[in-house]
Amino acid sequence: MPLNFYYDLTKNKDITTEVFVDLWKNDEIKEAIFLASPELFAEIEKWLSGRLNDVKKAKRLESSLLKYLSRMSSRCTPFGLFAGCSIGAFGDETMIVLDDYRKNHRQTRFDMNFLVALSQKLAKEEVIKNQLLWYPNNSLYKIGDQYRYIEYRYNSYNQREHSIEAIAYTEYLEIILKNATSGKKVKDLAMLLVNDEIIYQEAEEFIDELISNQILVSEIEPSVTGEDFLEQLANRVSYLEEADVLLKEIQYYQKFLKEIDNRLGNEVNKYVELSDRVAKMETPFELKYLFQTDMYTGIQSNQLNIRWGYKLKRLLPLLNRMSNTPSETNLQKFKDAFIKRYETQEIPLAIALDTEVGIGYLQNMNASDSTSFLDDLYIPSAPVTTQEIQWNPVQEIIGQKLQSIHRDNKYLMLLEDQDFDHLELNWNDLPDTMSTIAQIATVDGEEKMICSYIVGASAANLLGRFSTGNHDILEHIQQIATVEQEMYDNQVLAEIVHLPESRTGNVIRRATIREYEIPYLGKSNLPSEQQLPIEDLMISVRGNQVILRSRMLNKEIIPRLTNAHNYSANALPVYHFLCDMQSQGRRQSIGFYWNDVLQKHAFLPRVIYKDFILAKARWKITVADLSFLKESDDKERMVAVNEWRANYNIPKMVQLIDGDNTLLIHLENNNSIQMWIDSIKKKKECIIEEFLFSEETSSENVAGVVRQKGMNYSNQFVISLYNQEKLERAREKKEKQRYVDKEVLL
């Protein structure tokens, strides 16, 4: 929805129930909220149809509905049907014109948690199990007289838990694993063991035991790269005998998803009817998670003025100087431990990272919860006696400026090149490609770009999850991957394929992007010769660099994870290591950041550098100090809010900040204030920041950056950058080599 929608909705002191009732007639709004929360949808339906007598509950529902209306008209980050994205280009002028939102495209699919559960259920059914191909668990590796591997299970909260398991080496097991490498049916594997002493039934029971313990995994194991997983299931089931009923059921699901993607504003009864049908499959799911949707905005024109590209390029030196290389990283600690243990040896990766016979990963940190045998042990951590504060020259400069701001009661902090010219400028430790999230708004009559940082390890990371639903975005991502690979002569960039948690699969799923993949507790759909299993990877330290080498290719491997997954949270050691390898010797980001000490200030000003806003003004508020918000009389509360705003110079439009989430609050509207109260009532502190898409620039008389039929929208741009110098050097080197090869041939 346009910003005008939210401004019009909250322009008066109060929003009447009649206004909400009228809005609830909009089928697009209803479908968007249903997909986000079916339970909330049902309660709102009850309230606005007059079937709810609880006044307090009605007030809470009012706030909840207003939150979603705020989300779909102010926050651009794609989520469900609330906001979408499309690919754009630079040009001579800014011309971004949207089609009517009813023409937006969408992609709806089943939740990965459900699909994982369905694939596991199918793989256990005898008729299907015996027709599937089975492969060794791709986390399996051999140490001494045993094999080790990672097994997963689901706890009572339906969360995936991992544990390290071991199985003793036997000649029979070796035969099975060797032959299963290319995929074999249960019958074929069992026949390998049949001899004078072992009958077929015993051999089959042994294979079943390997399957139940996840030493062997099926070809319908979950995949987070390539085509949609439901499509993969349908393709495989179509080749199975006695599976016609199952295939028709899957095809019905596919047809349903395709039909609802033809329009916005579907009746929610369609979703409920399908969920009732899915329930007959006896596969557990929650309705609120069953459907996952991404939206792609229909556009008439999507062009941003190229001057913003040039200005962003001129911003880079400042952000570069302001950002330090981390002094001690996980990879540095690992490297030190590796040299101490193995010196110049090359070691299999799985053995080096083994917590018992190797050195593990994340040195000097508590053991991972992936080792289930430690679950019941209490390991006390050392008490923190002092807090080490990292105070560098950049923070010294910013701290002094902040003191001046507070002393003079100013709202703006200005940064200039001369403030940081004396600091080192280093381009050699940045990623090959990076990206930034920026906004453009008219502030105090001037167009400004709001841009705080530029991040890596690849410019494609922020875009990966949208690669399956929009061909233009996929082409852009593949172009980034091609440019990255061009920069390396004898090294291979390989995609990490791992499913850490079933529901995480909804946001880490992506198309096949690179020529090679490293599968680890996740299925790769590439041909086997393009897969680099963990057992193929060797590790060493040379020239102060950790080197990962593929024995099969005899080339150095540089891992890549082309999504925005926060992989460091409870990650398995191998996955964490591979992801950290992306940024070896590189800064992961450059930008403007308030350090932990400065963030404690109650007020932080807007930070400006030339045509850029590097940070919005923000206020840290103690919730206990907002007792005046509890005024039962709306009129008195509004007077108190206005006095409070005047005392602290707080604008009427602010955003509540909660991690990555933002909520637009209109402080001259009682319903919006109540929404704010409901959002912070269980917190001790909250942070609000200014909202820079002002009401004036969203009027019909002023053309916004993104518009549609006189309506103006908020905006958010993901802008990709690459190291042009490095790319040109690589191309020149390749051209010279081609010339030399040609001379040799002549």
Side-chain angles (χ1 to χ4, degrees):
M1 306 294 284
L3 273 170
N4 307 69
F5 168 79
Y6 189 75
Y7 288 132
D8 289 344
L9 179 63
T10 60
K11 65 183 178 183
N12 298 320
K13 299 294 183 191
D14 299 283
I15 308 170
T16 64
T17 303
E18 289 72 26
V19 170
F20 285 118
V21 170
D22 193 50
L23 282 172
W24 201 241
K25 295 174 184 176
N26 184 310
D27 290 333
E28 289 81 14
I29 290 176
K30 290 173 73 171
E31 185 185 17
I33 291 175
F34 174 82
L35 286 169
S37 176
E39 297 94 336
L40 177 62
F41 173 89
E43 292 300 311
I44 293 174
E45 186 94 324
K46 192 186 300 182
W47 161 47
L48 293 178
S49 63
R51 294 180 285 121
L52 183 67
N53 299 319
D54 188 330
V55 177
K56 288 185 177 180
K57 189 172 183 179
K59 278 291 181 186
R60 290 197 300 272
L61 289 170
E62 187 180 282
S63 290
S64 297
L65 176 55
L66 188 56
K67 281 182 185 178
Y68 280 124
L69 296 174
S70 168
R71 173 66 168 91
M72 68 178 69
S73 55
S74 64
R75 189 171 177 224
C76 300
T77 306
F79 172 64
L81 297 180
F82 295 143
C85 59
S86 60
I87 200 78
F90 285 110
D92 294 335
E93 61 177 340
T94 295
M95 182 64 68
I96 306 177
V97 182
L98 305 180
D99 274 329
D100 184 281
Y101 68 80
R102 294 173 183 85
K103 294 184 180 180
N104 289 347
H105 310 288
R106 49 181 286 181
Q107 182 194 41
T108 306
R109 58 199 181 276
F110 278 139
D111 173 67
M112 275 298 289
N113 200 51
F114 165 72
L115 290 174
V116 169
L118 176 62
S119 68
Q120 290 176 326
K121 176 180 178 296
L122 295 178
K124 290 177 182 177
E125 295 182 5
E126 286 297 317
V127 174
I128 294 175
K129 182 180 76 173
N130 291 329
Q131 297 183 70
L132 293 176
L133 299 178
W134 294 86
Y135 297 83
N137 183 320
N138 56 32
S139 69
L140 196 75
Y141 59 98
K142 189 172 182 290
I143 290 183
D145 59 354
Q146 65 176 209
Y147 281 98
R148 293 190 183 183
Y149 67 101
I150 303 295
E151 183 179 7
Y152 65 85
R153 63 183 183 276
Y154 288 88
N155 61 24
S156 57
Y157 301 102
N158 209 26
Q159 294 172 325
R160 186 159 162 163
E161 293 181 341
H162 298 93
S163 60
I164 299 174
E165 302 295 338
I167 182 172
Y169 168 85
T170 66
E171 185 179 337
Y172 299 122
L173 178 61
E174 182 76 10
I175 292 171
I176 296 301
L177 294 176
K178 185 176 180 179
N179 282 273
T181 302
S182 57
K184 287 284 190 294
K185 293 181 181 179
V186 170
K187 179 182 177 181
D188 296 330
L189 290 173
M191 288 301 297
L192 294 169
L193 303 180
V194 175
N195 56 31
D196 293 341
E197 298 178 356
I198 302 174
I199 63 174
Y200 177 81
Q201 184 180 353
E202 292 173 331
E204 188 179 48
E205 288 174 357
F206 179 65
I207 302 302
D208 284 342
E209 189 175 344
L210 296 180
I211 289 172
S212 65
N213 285 286
Q214 297 176 23
I215 296 163
L216 293 176
V217 296
S218 81
E219 61 182 306
I220 59 172
E221 271 288 289
S223 173
V224 291
T225 57
E227 63 184 355
D228 181 75
F229 188 48
L230 187 64
E231 184 75 23
Q232 294 180 40
L233 278 178
N235 290 339
R236 187 62 192 100
V237 170
S238 67
Y239 291 101
L240 302 180
E241 297 177 0
E242 300 180 50
D244 291 346
V245 174
L246 173 61
L247 179 60
K248 286 180 180 178
E249 190 67 14
I250 293 176
Q251 289 173 339
Y252 180 86
Y253 300 158
Q254 291 177 302
K255 182 182 177 184
F256 170 86
L257 296 174
K258 187 175 181 180
E259 285 178 354
I260 63 169
D261 280 344
N262 285 332
R263 66 189 293 265
L264 269 69
N266 293 285
E267 293 182 7
V268 300
N269 286 339
K270 290 184 177 181
Y271 293 100
V272 176
E273 288 170 6
L274 182 71
S275 67
D276 290 341
R277 180 164 177 161
V278 170
K280 294 177 183 177
M281 293 286 289
E282 298 181 352
T283 301
F285 69 88
E286 295 180 71
L287 180 58
K288 65 179 178 179
Y289 296 136
L290 183 58
F291 303 101
Q292 297 293 319
T293 300
D294 285 320
M295 188 169 71
Y296 300 90
T297 44
I299 53 171
Q300 296 177 17
S301 173
N302 194 4
Q303 179 178 283
L304 186 62
N305 195 316
I306 187 64
R307 68 188 179 94
W308 282 116
Y310 295 131
K311 287 182 178 182
L312 185 62
K313 197 173 177 180
R314 289 195 289 271
L315 172 67
L316 292 178
L318 177 79
L319 299 185
N320 192 329
R321 285 189 167 98
M322 295 179 72
S323 307
N324 295 315
T325 304
S327 57
E328 191 174 36
T329 63
N330 294 328
L331 211 55
Q332 180 63 49
K333 294 175 185 176
F334 171 80
K335 183 169 56 179
D336 294 341
F338 187 94
I339 293 172
K340 186 176 181 181
R341 173 74 174 271
Y342 300 113
E343 297 181 339
T344 59
Q345 294 182 67
E346 187 181 51
I347 303 294
L349 174 65
I351 292 178
L353 295 183
D354 188 272
T355 53
E356 290 185 21
V357 302
I359 58 174
Y361 193 57
L362 299 185
Q363 276 66 30
N364 304 321
M365 293 185 68
N366 289 339
S368 168
D369 64 357
S370 62
T371 49
S372 57
F373 52 82
L374 294 180
D375 285 350
D376 297 325
L377 293 180
Y378 170 66
I379 305 175
S381 55
V384 179
T385 54
T386 60
Q387 182 181 8
E388 185 178 346
I389 299 173
Q390 299 293 332
W391 198 258
N392 57 48
V394 173
Q395 288 153 2
E396 186 73 37
I397 294 167
I398 293 172
Q400 289 175 359
K401 284 180 174 287
L402 188 59
Q403 285 182 358
S404 175
I405 292 288
H406 288 154
R407 184 182 63 244
D408 300 335
N409 198 27
K410 292 181 179 178
Y411 192 85
L412 306 178
M413 177 191 288
L414 300 179
L415 299 185
E416 297 177 309
D417 289 321
Q418 64 195 43
D419 295 327
F420 305 96
D421 273 348
H422 62 287
L423 299 178
E424 181 185 4
L425 184 62
N426 182 12
W427 300 106
N428 296 323
D429 64 347
L430 295 182
D432 303 320
T433 69
M434 305 178 78
S435 61
T436 185
I437 298 179
Q439 295 176 300
I440 297 176
T442 301
V443 181
D444 300 329
E446 295 182 352
E447 201 171 70
K448 299 282 186 182
M449 177 176 276
I450 305 157
C451 176
S452 301
Y453 51 82
I454 300 171
V455 297
S458 167
N461 288 6
L462 295 174
L463 307 173
R465 62 172 283 216
F466 307 111
S467 60
T468 62
N470 184 286
H471 183 70
D472 292 336
I473 294 177
L474 173 58
E475 278 193 344
H476 180 57
I477 293 171
Q478 289 175 331
Q479 182 185 359
I480 292 171
T482 300
V483 165
E484 289 175 344
Q485 183 60 70
E486 265 195 278
M487 294 185 192
Y488 293 89
D489 182 24
N490 200 39
Q491 294 131 311
V492 171
L493 274 62
E495 188 72 18
I496 305 164
V497 179
H498 174 65
L499 180 62
E501 175 70 45
S502 295
R503 296 213 66 246
T504 309
N506 295 320
V507 292
I508 67 172
R509 60 186 292 275
R510 57 215 185 268
T512 299
I513 294 167
R514 304 182 193 274
E515 185 179 359
Y516 291 92
E517 292 183 345
I518 305 172
Y520 183 71
L521 292 183
K523 187 183 75 174
S524 170
N525 292 298
L526 290 176
S528 58
E529 60 269 20
Q530 291 172 247
Q531 297 182 35
L532 307 176
I534 296 302
E535 276 205 308
D536 175 60
L537 299 178
M538 304 292 290
I539 187 172
S540 60
V541 175
R542 297 178 208 155
N544 203 34
Q545 290 284 301
V546 179
I547 304 296
L548 196 63
R549 183 180 68 89
S550 163
R551 287 185 288 196
M552 180 179 72
L553 300 178
N554 194 26
K555 288 188 176 182
E556 183 181 346
I557 302 301
I558 301 174
R560 285 286 183 265
L561 183 71
T562 314
N563 59 44
H565 182 222
N566 179 19
Y567 63 83
S568 60
N570 297 320
L572 291 169
V574 170
Y575 179 54
H576 200 153
F577 168 81
L578 290 172
C579 292
D580 277 354
M581 278 289 289
Q582 299 179 95
S583 303
Q584 179 175 202
R586 307 283 178 93
R587 284 179 282 178
Q588 294 187 20
S589 68
I590 56 173
F592 175 88
Y593 303 95
W594 297 108
N595 75 354
D596 293 341
V597 175
L598 297 179
Q599 281 186 31
K600 294 178 181 179
H601 285 275
F603 170 69
L604 294 174
R606 181 192 302 167
V607 180
I608 295 177
Y609 170 76
K610 295 181 179 178
D611 292 321
F612 292 90
I613 295 174
L614 302 182
K616 299 174 186 176
R618 61 188 287 182
W619 296 261
K620 178 176 280 191
I621 299 165
T622 302
V623 174
D625 293 340
L626 299 175
S627 56
F628 58 86
L629 293 177
K630 297 178 182 178
E631 290 283 353
S632 57
D633 184 273
D634 287 345
K635 190 173 182 179
E636 290 181 8
R637 182 170 66 182
M638 186 63 73
V639 170
V641 168
N642 288 337
E643 289 178 359
W644 172 74
R645 284 179 47 216
N647 288 338
Y648 294 98
N649 200 17
I650 296 174
K652 66 179 180 180
M653 285 289 180
V654 295
Q655 291 185 113
L656 176 65
I657 307 299
D658 185 7
D660 292 336
N661 297 317
T662 61
L663 179 64
L664 180 58
I665 300 160
H666 190 168
L667 292 173
E668 291 183 355
N669 175 270
N670 282 309
N671 305 76
S672 193
I673 292 171
Q674 186 60 49
M675 174 182 71
W676 180 34
I677 296 170
D678 291 342
S679 301
I680 63 174
K681 60 186 177 184
K682 294 182 180 179
K683 298 179 180 290
K684 292 182 179 180
E685 291 182 332
C686 71
I687 294 173
I688 59 173
E689 72 176 18
E690 59 183 342
F691 184 70
L692 294 175
F693 296 106
S694 66
E695 194 169 2
E696 291 72 26
T697 57
S698 291
S699 68
E700 293 189 23
N701 299 322
V702 180
V705 174
V706 180
R707 57 189 185 274
Q708 188 267 327
K709 289 184 179 178
M711 299 288 107
N712 291 317
Y713 288 73
S714 57
N715 63 64
Q716 194 173 64
F717 301 94
V718 176
I719 301 174
S720 309
L721 304 96
Y722 67 96
N723 188 326
Q724 185 177 12
E725 208 173 282
K726 186 172 181 178
L727 180 63
E728 288 175 353
R729 285 201 308 268
R731 286 175 174 172
E732 287 174 7
K733 183 178 179 182
K734 193 172 184 179
E735 189 60 36
K736 286 180 181 177
Q737 186 60 48
R738 187 182 292 117
Y739 179 79
V740 170
D741 292 343
K742 185 178 179 181
E743 287 290 304
V744 170
L745 286 172
L746 289 174

